[in-house]
Amino acid sequence: MSGVLPSETDRGAAEEDGGDVRVLPLDDDEAARLINCLAADTARSTLAALQDDPATASELADAVGTSLQNVRHHLDNLREAGLVRVVGNRYSVKGREMKVYAPTRDSLVVCVGDSTDVDRAVE
C-alpha cells in the first residue's frame, strides 16, 4: 500500500457488525437490485477483494485489474445493495482523502418463492 498515509479506518467495524440475516423473496425490488449488482464480474471481484481487508477504490482497482472509475461504479452499486459500506478514510501522499470500503457482515438469502416462503425460511 505504498502512497497511502496513516489511516482513520475503523478496522474493527466489520467484525463488530451484528451480522443480521436478510431474507428476500426473489420478486422483491431489493433482491432485483442485488442480483443486478452481482451480475457483473467486476462487482463480484471487487466484493471478493474486500473479504480479506478493507480497501480504497484505487487499491481495489489495482487488485481487480480495472479502472478506478469502473470500481467506483461497482462500489456505488454494492453500497446501494447493502453489500459494502464505508468504514473510514485514508489519505494519499498528496493529501487527498479516500474512502475505505469493507463488506457488510450480514448474511443474505434470496428465497425462490413469495413472502410466505420467506417467513418459513426465517423460522
Side-chain angles (χ1 to χ4, degrees):
M1 275 196 260
S2 64
V4 178
L5 296 179
S7 168
E8 291 181 18
T9 304
D10 185 359
R11 289 189 150 264
E15 289 81 24
E16 292 171 11
D17 201 356
D20 294 331
V21 176
R22 289 191 295 164
V23 180
L24 306 172
L26 189 58
D27 61 354
D28 183 77
D29 288 342
E30 188 177 352
R33 272 194 310 276
L34 175 85
I35 292 166
N36 286 336
C37 171
L38 293 176
D41 289 338
T42 302
R44 291 191 308 275
S45 297
T46 300
L47 184 58
L50 286 172
Q51 297 304 311
D52 293 329
D53 287 312
T56 65
S58 59
E59 291 167 344
L60 290 167
D62 290 342
V64 173
T66 191
S67 70
L68 179 60
Q69 293 79 12
N70 195 19
V71 165
R72 283 186 178 151
H73 167 76
H74 290 289
L75 282 169
D76 287 343
N77 291 341
L78 290 165
R79 284 181 67 194
E80 217 173 275
L83 297 173
V84 170
R85 65 192 181 112
V86 175
V87 294
N89 296 302
R90 290 189 189 150
Y91 296 89
S92 71
V93 171
K94 295 180 180 180
R96 293 189 179 124
E97 186 175 18
M98 303 178 295
K99 294 177 184 173
V100 178
Y101 299 89
T104 59
R105 293 293 180 210
D106 293 346
S107 295
L108 179 64
V109 177
V110 176
C111 183
V112 179
D114 60 20
S115 59
T116 58
D117 293 325
V118 169
D119 293 338
R120 277 186 276 159
V122 174
E123 294 172 354

